[in-house]
Amino acid sequence: MQEIVSLQETKKSFKIDELPLEDKQRLVGAFVWLIEEDKKQNPALYKKIKTVKK
């Protein structure tokens, strides 16, 4: 059975400044991994755009 979560319980917030160093590193590592995976799935989004100077 699924439990119903009240809105009060889902509004827990945190500040990145309050996280321990190890948790900050894990959070950054997760975003790095997500970006790397997205580059594999959508390489066109990460190509440099060439600009022409006049």
Side-chain angles (χ1 to χ4, degrees), residues 2-24:
Q2 289 183 323
E3 293 181 29
I4 298 174
V5 179
S6 69
L7 290 176
Q8 291 176 346
E9 291 178 11
T10 59
K11 289 189 176 184
K12 294 179 183 177
S13 63
F14 69 95
K15 295 182 180 177
I16 293 177
D17 294 338
E18 295 175 355
L19 289 175
L21 180 61
E22 182 178 320
D23 288 343
K24 288 179 188 177

Side-chain angles (χ1 to χ4, degrees), residues 28-52:
V28 170
F31 278 102
V32 168
W33 178 81
L34 283 171
I35 292 170
E36 289 173 351
E37 291 300 311
D38 192 51
K39 283 182 181 180
K40 292 176 188 175
Q41 297 290 321
N42 303 301
L45 296 176
Y46 295 91
K47 289 183 180 177
K48 288 188 177 183
I49 299 173
K50 294 181 182 179
T51 58
V52 178

